[in-house]
Amino acid sequence: MRNVKGALSIAGTDPSGGAGIQADLKTFQELEVYGMSVITSVVAQNTLGVKGIRHLEASFIKEQLESVTNDMPVHAVKTGMIANSEMIEAIAEHLRPLTLPLCVDPVMIAQSGDALVDHKALQAMRDELLPLATIVTPNIPEAAALTGRSLESEEDRYDAAKRIVHDFGSSSVVIKGGHLDGEATDLFYDGDTFKTFTSPRFDTLHTHGTGCTYAAAITAELAKGKSLNEAVSVAKTFISAAIEHTLEIGHGQGPTNHWAYQNTKRKGEYV
Ligand SMILES: Nc1ncnc2c1ncn2[C@@H]1O[C@H](COP(=O)(O)OP(=O)(O)OP(=O)(O)O)[C@@H](O)[C@H]1O
Ligand SMILES: Cc1ncc(CO)c(N)n1
């Protein structure tokens, strides 16, 4: 077998292609990592919002996981939308013995404001998945929900990062700055050192799936064996290009441009 690097996304779907599994697979492909997926829930959604959700049974999620990991080269795993605690427990049980690099994107609400997970899922995520995580990627509301405290100031963000690593057991965290005013500054902490990753804030409505895309880019780089610092740095460049060179499609908050990073690097053009 050839030495192909592979990344697995465990998440919900977005038929409009901007978020969830679809965004993850596009991002893996753009970063030249073989993409695989296990679906947790099928979501009827688009750039305007969520119309309906069908959850798959935890036992069937486990069957999908076994199908992929018993056969294929999985070098890193990303989790996204996992709607309930039964699913989280089944996924954690499967991942624990594999000891693969794991990026946990603690998805709670869609960009449109629709809830994607139930309230018990939050606690299960904290207890079962965070201790297995190489990195967890909350946005500001998700970091507040995980720590049970609102994040108003810069100091609050530093405290939340420390709690997520030292109290909940993730090896590192990046608290994303998409919800801040001014520059888009993400705060990374690995239990030892803080580092910020900053880009200008692009004035756009089209941010559907930014979080999924960013975490998928981190996962792709971890699959290649890159350090956390390198992985977050590539992911920040990837998502910044994807937001800046927006596609302007859909009738609401449109998707990002998953081509932009490679096109910028290779051709100096964007679409
Ligand atoms: N308008 C913007 N301009 C530049 N960077 C942005 C902008 N919005 C978000 N980002 C960046 O995108 C990445 C994802 O952050 P964000 O906080 O939007 O995630 P999220 O809320 O989980 O996204 P979603 O729920 O849409 O998946 C971060 O690196 C953040 O700094
Ligand atoms: C399936 C799915 N995961 C995550 C998000 C958050 O962007 C979304 N809208 N849909």
Side-chain angles (χ1 to χ4, degrees):
M1 240 191 282
R2 286 175 59 184
N3 180 24
V4 172
K5 298 300 179 196
L8 168 65
S9 167
I10 306 169
T13 65
D14 173 10
S16 70
I21 291 277
Q22 283 81 354
D24 294 349
L25 290 176
K26 290 176 189 182
T27 306
F28 294 159
Q29 184 75 12
E30 289 296 312
L31 290 169
E32 295 166 343
V33 162
Y34 183 84
M36 292 159 278
S37 61
V38 162
I39 292 170
T40 53
S41 302
V42 181
V43 185
Q45 63 171 319
N46 57 25
T47 65
L48 296 165
V50 174
K51 292 282 185 307
I53 305 185
R54 295 289 182 277
H55 300 311
L56 299 187
E57 285 167 24
S59 60
F60 190 62
I61 293 171
K62 205 144 185 177
E63 240 177 282
Q64 294 181 69
L65 282 168
E66 279 159 8
S67 299
V68 183
T69 60
N70 289 345
D71 183 33
M72 298 299 280
V74 178
H75 297 97
V77 179
K78 168 186 181 275
T79 61
M81 172 192 176
I82 315 179
N84 60 49
S85 53
E86 290 76 26
M87 290 184 191
I88 293 175
E89 278 156 23
I91 291 164
E93 194 182 302
H94 187 84
L95 293 181
R96 205 168 287 119
L98 299 180
T99 63
L100 287 164
L102 171 65
C103 175
V104 174
D105 187 19
V107 170
M108 293 173 199
I109 346 175
Q111 199 80 25
S112 51
D114 297 286
L116 294 172
V117 310
D118 74 20
H119 69 279
K120 273 195 348 216
L122 171 66
Q123 201 176 338
M125 193 177 316
R126 209 163 43 201
D127 296 347
E128 304 282 338
L129 271 185
L130 261 50
L132 307 181
T134 311
I135 185 163
V136 54
T137 60
N139 60 25
I140 290 187
E142 289 159 354
L146 283 169
T147 56
R149 294 181 197 160
S150 68
L151 271 62
E152 308 290 342
S153 63
E154 196 177 337
E155 199 187 338
D156 292 342
R157 293 203 297 284
Y158 278 75
D159 285 345
K162 282 190 197 157
R163 277 201 74 199
I164 289 168
V165 171
H166 298 301
D167 296 355
F168 305 152
S170 177
S171 300
S172 72
V173 61
V174 58
I175 300 183
K176 298 172 291 191
H179 297 248
L180 294 170
D181 292 328
E183 288 182 320
T185 298
D186 306 336
L187 177 65
F188 172 76
Y189 179 60
D190 64 2
D192 183 37
T193 311
F194 283 99
K195 185 164 179 184
T196 53
F197 293 86
T198 299
S199 81
R201 175 164 304 276
F202 305 112
D203 183 16
T204 175
L205 176 69
H206 303 304
T207 55
H208 177 68
T210 48
C212 305
T213 302
Y214 184 60
I218 294 174
T219 310
E221 294 305 301
L222 292 178
K224 294 176 192 166
K226 298 288 169 61
S227 70
L228 277 166
N229 197 40
E230 288 169 314
V232 177
S233 176
V234 168
K236 185 65 174 168
T237 309
F238 190 99
I239 193 61
S240 302
I243 297 170
E244 181 176 10
H245 305 294
T246 181
L247 297 171
E248 293 184 21
I249 54 175
H251 296 87
Q253 292 182 297
T256 67
N257 178 351
H258 293 95
W259 295 299
Y261 174 82
Q262 286 297 358
N263 283 350
T264 309
K265 272 189 18 183
R266 285 196 193 128
K267 300 189 226 148
E269 58 192 55
Y270 306 115
V271 181

